[in-house]
Amino acid sequence: GAQNSAFLTQPADRNEATLSQSGEENNASLWQTAANNRATLSQDGAENRADLTQTATGNEAALRQKGDENKA
């Protein structure tokens, strides 16, 4: 899609992340600041915003936005 943006930070070891965006003007940020985390973030639509942070060890998260103008 057009004008999508994604920001991913993984300063620790053994993290896994999957980011996918379909549509327009979606914005996603994912931070994994401790080790052994797993995250999946997907956006399908327009003008969605998602911020996902994992600051402790051994977390799993899944975030999906479908439609328009969702915030998480």
Side-chain angles (χ1 to χ4, degrees), residues 60-72:
E60 289 191 30
L63 191 155
R64 181 176 183 199
Q65 295 177 311
K66 187 168 176 119
D68 299 334
E69 299 180 25
N70 296 300
K71 296 185 178 18

Side-chain angles (χ1 to χ4, degrees), residues 7-72:
F7 177 77
L8 175 62
T9 300
Q10 295 175 303
D13 296 327
R14 297 177 304 278
N15 289 307
E16 295 179 29
T18 303
L19 287 167
S20 64
Q21 294 175 310
S22 174
E24 297 181 355
E25 297 183 41
N26 294 304
N27 184 298
S29 296
L30 174 58
W31 292 271
Q32 294 174 312
T33 59
N36 297 319
N37 291 300
R38 181 178 297 168
T40 302
L41 196 158
S42 66
Q43 296 174 307
D44 182 6
E47 298 181 36
N48 294 305
R49 177 167 177 85
D51 295 308
L52 179 60
T53 303
Q54 295 175 310
T55 58
T57 300
N59 294 295
E60 289 191 30
L63 191 155
R64 181 176 183 199
Q65 295 177 311
K66 187 168 176 119
D68 299 334
E69 299 180 25
N70 296 300
K71 296 185 178 18

